[in-house]
Amino acid sequence: MMDTTAGGRKTAFIGLGVMGYPMAGHLANAGHGVAVYNRTRARAEKWAGEYGGRIAETPAAAAKGAELVFACVGADDDLREILHGEDGALAGMSGGAIFIDHTTDSAVVAREADAAARERDLGFLDAPVSGGQAGAENGALTVMVGGTAESFAAAEPVMQCYARNVTHMGAAGNGQLTKMVNQLCIAGVVQGLAEGINFAQRAGLDGERVLDVISKGAAQSWQMENRGATMLKGEFEFGFAADWMRKDLGLCFEEAKKNGALLPMAMLVDQFYAHVQQRGGGRWDTSSLIQLLQNI
Amino acid sequence: MMDTTAGGRKTAFIGLGVMGYPMAGHLANAGHGVAVYNRTRARAEKWAGEYGGRIAETPAAAAKGAELVFACVGADDDLREILHGEDGALAGMSGGAIFIDHTTDSAVVAREADAAARERDLGFLDAPVSGGQAGAENGALTVMVGGTAESFAAAEPVMQCYARNVTHMGAAGNGQLTKMVNQLCIAGVVQGLAEGINFAQRAGLDGERVLDVISKGAAQSWQMENRGATMLKGEFEFGFAADWMRKDLGLCFEEAKKNGALLPMAMLVDQFYAHVQQRGGGRWDTSSLIQLLQNI
């Protein structure tokens, strides 16, 4: 990846999970000052041991003095917790600083956060990512950003240090809505692939050969190319967890109640993910949908 | 495309529809002798006017003297009609000639045809294609072939004149089964894309920008890249017809009754295609699934 960032910005990063940890690491490697906060302090200490940087005791303390405050946490309520209150990031921010939320959460919480930031003359961007843990580690994420053009212009060059694509999708909330479209498309692709591969196996075909042939035509997909072989082998302990996919589909369903979109396939697939969870596969990759078809 | 065929073989082509017409044309252009039969004679005359070659009055007459007899007709019963009886292709074939069925039909009819061919010491290959009308016209089809290795070896170099990939999938019927897997995967991809694009439109997003961003990651698919823009514009009068997709899904369901594969998503999508047909869209491209979500 070409690093187009100029280092030396004062930043904070809140939430050092599987995504945040390497993302914050790229910020530090690019020469930015990074103050970190993580709920489990031991992980922040590990991060600081690896990359340097300051460990803060609260989100507010991490955010204090930072021009850009990044977060990558679990869901809506986690974001609210690190954002608001006297220990929250907004309380520590000043001087037109911008809060960038990399969490995949709702468009509602994005607009809420945007309003709260505006009240304090701060900026806000909802900036969910795709590309998974590997994308975060390799600095090759896709970032879908909602918020003002001004905040986008200020934060975009810095996000480039862990991204391959950073695109402005319009007003606050639009980053999250774009990520929802992404997840809906994936749900269909993966279920189709699961039904196809299971059919191939039951029909006695050579699965690898089938995928090799059909991936050259109109059935081709990233999922086929990157998950087909592992589905054939029954390997699911990696990748994007069924738990996370179910959380994301839930965001789509909440939003669809408002915008009126029908999601019949996504709702069916969501039920299959519920089954995966019940089988103890909540941490399995989304491609584990095929297990339901195989274990009847 | 590199033409690796040696011309000068004696061939016949039965069924000059949107696929067969250009495929037979590639045979003629590659220097093979082609006798053609088509139910509607006027179309055979048009073909002969364009490519030369002999027009036959029956499948048997077309097949007489040919080393390789190709067919691309509608469905199981059409294949049975051109294959059997005193006017059928098998009656005209001799000397170890090989019948190659490019129709997408059932694995059952493929095995039936294979048995009938063996009784007469003839060869049979089931060889459904993907790549659509454009693939046929550009000589860029993918061909999935079932049958003996011997027949495959004899016919493969000639099929190269209209194909980009010709792959042997095993015994008679396996070509059809592979095509079924292809269609199952497509059904999931297209429905996911339809739900995603409709959601994006209802959420007020810039659809082109959304597809541009998400096509760089895990949601990417051939369908997204080749049908996303037309779905956004509501253009469906081209491509692979809903009628044909429904026929193909029906083949999958018949086969699944025997091999035990569950196809919950494919069955749901099949019902949506029934709706497309009822709306008068039987000839619309498979991507017209999105219309159901838009017109409620």
Side-chain angles (χ1 to χ4, degrees), chain A residues 168 195 209 218 220 222 265, chain B residues 168 195 209 220 222 265:
Chain A
H168 189 211
E195 293 187 18
R209 185 168 288 204
Q220 179 278 341
W222 185 98
M265 177 281 307
Chain B
H168 189 211
E195 293 187 18
R209 184 169 288 203
Q220 179 277 342
W222 184 98
M265 178 279 308

Side-chain angles (χ1 to χ4, degrees), chain A:
Chain A
M1 190 203 64
M2 190 175 64
D3 185 359
T4 59
T5 60
R9 307 287 289 272
K10 291 186 73 177
T11 74
F13 208 107
I14 298 167
L16 301 171
V18 291
M19 300 298 288
Y21 191 101
M23 290 165 80
H26 283 291
L27 284 177
N29 287 343
H32 299 296
V34 188
V36 295
Y37 169 80
N38 193 64
R39 197 156 47 186
T40 306
R41 189 188 156 95
R43 190 158 167 95
E45 285 168 0
K46 178 168 182 258
W47 186 92
E50 191 170 346
Y51 294 105
R54 175 171 68 88
I55 301 174
E57 297 302 318
T58 63
K64 198 167 173 65
E67 302 161 65
L68 301 169
V69 179
F70 300 91
C72 195
V73 295
D76 282 15
D77 286 345
D78 303 295
L79 181 72
R80 289 185 179 111
E81 192 181 320
I82 60 148
L83 204 54
H84 302 296
E86 62 183 33
D87 287 341
L90 292 177
M93 292 166 70
S94 61
I98 303 165
F99 187 96
I100 299 112
D101 179 26
H102 286 307
T103 313
T104 293
D105 45 29
S106 71
V108 170
V109 83
R111 292 180 195 125
E112 243 180 61
D114 178 62
R118 279 169 195 273
E119 277 183 18
R120 295 166 182 262
D121 288 322
L122 301 169
F124 173 83
L125 297 170
D126 54 302
V129 302
S130 75
Q133 189 173 349
E137 289 168 356
N138 301 326
L141 294 170
T142 292
V143 192
M144 299 152 257
V145 188
T148 65
E150 193 185 354
S151 292
F152 179 79
E156 187 268 344
V158 180
M159 289 192 271
Q160 289 291 353
C161 76
Y162 43 71
R164 190 174 285 157
N165 301 286
V166 183
T167 305
H168 189 211
M169 301 306 303
N174 281 12
Q176 297 300 344
L177 293 168
T178 301
K179 178 73 188 279
M180 292 176 205
V181 177
N182 188 72
Q183 303 304 69
L184 292 170
C185 291
I186 289 175
V189 175
V190 174
Q191 181 63 22
L193 191 56
E195 293 187 18
I197 289 177
N198 178 58
F199 181 98
Q201 291 178 318
R202 288 184 185 253
L205 296 173
D206 176 336
E208 282 183 49
R209 185 168 288 204
V210 170
L211 293 180
D212 187 53
V213 172
I214 70 177
S215 66
K216 296 186 172 74
Q220 179 278 341
S221 62
W222 185 98
Q223 296 289 334
M224 182 180 282
E225 291 180 353
N226 291 275
R227 295 291 182 270
T230 47
M231 287 167 88
L232 282 168
K233 285 182 240 166
E235 293 174 4
F236 306 114
E237 299 198 357
F238 71 105
F240 189 77
D243 284 344
W244 307 337
M245 188 60 168
R246 227 184 154 209
K247 183 203 79 171
D248 292 359
L249 289 174
L251 295 171
C252 299
F253 301 152
E254 281 303 309
E255 192 64 33
K257 279 183 200 166
K258 285 174 277 184
N259 69 30
L262 288 185
L263 299 172
M265 177 281 307
M267 288 200 173
L268 182 70
V269 172
D270 176 65
Q271 296 299 295
F272 297 155
Y273 280 121
H275 195 164
V276 170
Q277 289 176 317
Q278 285 161 16
R279 287 173 54 84
R283 307 305 288 181
W284 293 343
D285 185 66
T286 47
S287 56
S288 59
L289 275 181
I290 195 172
Q291 284 237 329
L292 271 71
L293 306 171
Q294 291 174 325
N295 293 295
I296 59 159

